[in-house]
């Protein structure tokens, strides 16, 4: 069933996915790198905030 | 964790409204949609050359998606995915990066030449290159934030003015004026379709400038 669906989507759109949208795939990779950086920075700051229970008011 | 799958289903919902044509002559709904799509695509792709017209499918899908989600968001108590900055950034960044990389790949010298307009005096050149680079990198941010802010602001205004009308219902005469303001605002807001026109048009201009020159 899945294979027949891929046959309905992939076969008609193969030139788009392989040739026309090459640069868009690169752009999606760039976007995923940005998302990964933001998520890891957020996790790091949350872990830092959780591991230091002393309230620090004036840290710059 | 429970909310995430449902928002995917909500985002995919407007595609149900566009059945795909199966026969040579379809029923009225599909014929009307086909005519509208052909009208829009002819208008939009007329300024591109052959290389740019390979993006026709992407641009038409974009305008249909943003238009349908914005219009469905005008119904009361509905959720509009385009009010979330994450979705708009997810649309803007890959498409803008695609146009820039296309320009650099196929016309490297012309793409680099965009950073320096013609006829600038010699001392101003470093400053101008910095300004042009900044204006290039701000393009995806501007695309995403423009769409988010416009749709969110419209929804917020409708909420506030509707709430004010309800609160003023006990005091007459003012209610009539406020209700009329709501009506006019909603009609103007139905130019959310004009906004997606602006979105796709801006994306289109970017594609045109980077790809074809």
């Amino acid at each position: 069933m899945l294979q027949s669906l891929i046959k309905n989507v992939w076969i008609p759109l193969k030139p788009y996915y392989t040739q026309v949208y090459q640069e868009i795939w690169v752009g999606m990779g760039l976007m995923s790198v940005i998302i990964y950086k933001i998520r890891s920075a957020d996790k790091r700051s949350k872990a830092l905030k959780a591991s230091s229970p002393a309230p620090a008011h004036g840290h710059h | 964790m429970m909310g995430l799958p449902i928002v995917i289903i909500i985002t995919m919902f407007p595609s149900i409204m566009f059945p795909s044509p199966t026969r040579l002559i379809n029923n009225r709904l599909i014929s009307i949609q086909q005519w509208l799509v052909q009208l829009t695509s002819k208008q939009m792709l007329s300024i591109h050359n052959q290389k740019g017209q390979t993006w026709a499918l992407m641009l038409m899908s974009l305008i249909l998606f943003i238009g349908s989600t914005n219009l469905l968001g005008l119904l009361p108590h509905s959720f509009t995915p385009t009010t979330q900055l994450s979705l708009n950034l997810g649309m803007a960044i890959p498409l803008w990066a695609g146009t820039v990389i296309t320009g650099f790949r196929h016309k490297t010298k012309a793409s680099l030449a965009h950073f320096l307009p013609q006829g600038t005096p010699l001392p101003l050149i470093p400053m101008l290159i910095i300004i042009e680079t900044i204006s290039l990198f701000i393009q995806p941010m501007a695309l995403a934030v423009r769409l988010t802010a416009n749709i969110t602001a419209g929804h917020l205004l409708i909420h506030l003015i509707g709430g004010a009308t309800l609160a003023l219902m006990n005091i007459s005469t003012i209610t009539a004026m406020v209700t009329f303001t709501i009506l006019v605002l909603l009609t103007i807001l139905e130019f959310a379709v004009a906004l997606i026109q602006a979105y796709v048009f801006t994306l289109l201009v970017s594609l045109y400038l980077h790809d074809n020159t």
Side-chain angles (χ1 to χ4, degrees):
Chain A
M1 190 267 286
L2 188 67
Q3 276 305 109
S4 91
L5 177 69
I6 293 299
K7 204 193 306 184
N8 281 332
V9 172
W10 172 260
I11 300 289
L13 291 177
K14 198 155 95 94
Y16 282 100
Y17 290 157
T18 50
Q19 290 165 13
V20 180
Y21 293 161
Q22 279 172 356
E23 294 96 5
I24 300 183
W25 296 130
V26 177
M28 277 177 70
L30 171 72
M31 182 187 72
S32 61
V33 166
I34 295 177
I35 291 176
Y36 171 71
K37 295 278 186 207
I38 294 180
R39 258 175 86 102
S40 69
D42 188 41
K43 257 187 224 172
R44 202 181 315 136
S45 86
K46 278 206 171 71
L48 202 62
K49 214 176 290 186
S51 72
S52 67
H57 283 288
H59 64 91
H60 297 280
Chain B
M1 259 332 208
M2 286 271 301
L4 193 54
I6 296 186
V7 81
I8 293 179
I9 296 180
I10 294 177
T11 311
M12 291 193 322
F13 172 73
S15 61
I16 297 179
M17 302 290 161
F18 302 111
S20 48
T22 49
R23 304 160 179 240
L24 188 62
I25 299 181
N26 300 291
N27 58 12
R28 273 178 278 210
L29 179 68
I30 300 183
S31 299
I32 290 180
Q33 288 177 356
Q34 223 174 343
W35 169 74
L36 276 171
V37 166
Q38 277 174 357
L39 185 73
T40 318
S41 64
K42 273 192 200 151
Q43 166 77 23
M44 195 167 287
L45 297 168
S46 55
I47 55 178
H48 287 239
N49 60 5
Q50 189 173 2
K51 186 102 182 56
Q53 281 177 356
T54 54
W55 278 57
L57 192 65
M58 174 60 77
L59 292 174
M60 292 319 297
S61 316
L62 198 64
I63 191 170
L64 279 177
F65 173 68
I66 302 181
S68 58
T69 43
N70 290 346
L71 284 176
L72 281 174
L74 291 175
L75 301 169
H77 298 293
S78 59
F79 172 69
T80 321
T82 40
T83 53
Q84 310 301 314
L85 184 65
S86 48
L87 186 132
N88 295 334
L89 274 175
M91 286 194 296
I93 292 185
L95 291 170
W96 165 83
T99 63
V100 171
I101 295 175
T102 306
F104 271 127
R105 211 173 144 197
H106 296 283
K107 296 181 158 216
T108 318
K109 266 192 272 190
S111 293
L112 280 175
H114 279 137
F115 285 133
L116 191 64
Q118 264 183 343
T120 62
L122 201 57
L124 279 179
I125 286 184
M127 171 82 66
L128 208 55
I129 291 189
I130 294 179
I131 291 179
E132 292 281 334
T133 312
I134 293 178
S135 94
L136 180 73
F137 280 107
I138 256 193
Q139 274 180 350
M141 300 293 151
L143 279 172
V145 174
R146 179 188 307 127
L147 187 59
T148 311
N150 276 300
I151 305 294
T152 313
H155 287 340
L156 191 65
L157 270 174
I158 288 183
H159 280 154
L160 291 178
I161 296 187
T165 310
L166 274 178
L168 287 172
M169 199 81 77
N170 302 323
I171 316 167
S172 303
T173 318
I174 312 176
T175 313
M177 276 169 47
V178 182
T179 317
F180 190 65
T181 314
I182 291 186
L183 228 57
V184 174
L185 186 72
L186 196 58
T187 314
I188 297 178
L189 192 65
E190 283 200 33
F191 300 147
V193 185
L195 188 71
I196 45 98
Q197 182 87 355
Y199 185 95
V200 184
F201 186 72
T202 318
L203 181 67
L204 179 92
V205 170
S206 169
L207 171 71
Y208 175 69
L209 280 176
H210 280 261
D211 194 24
N212 315 333
T213 315

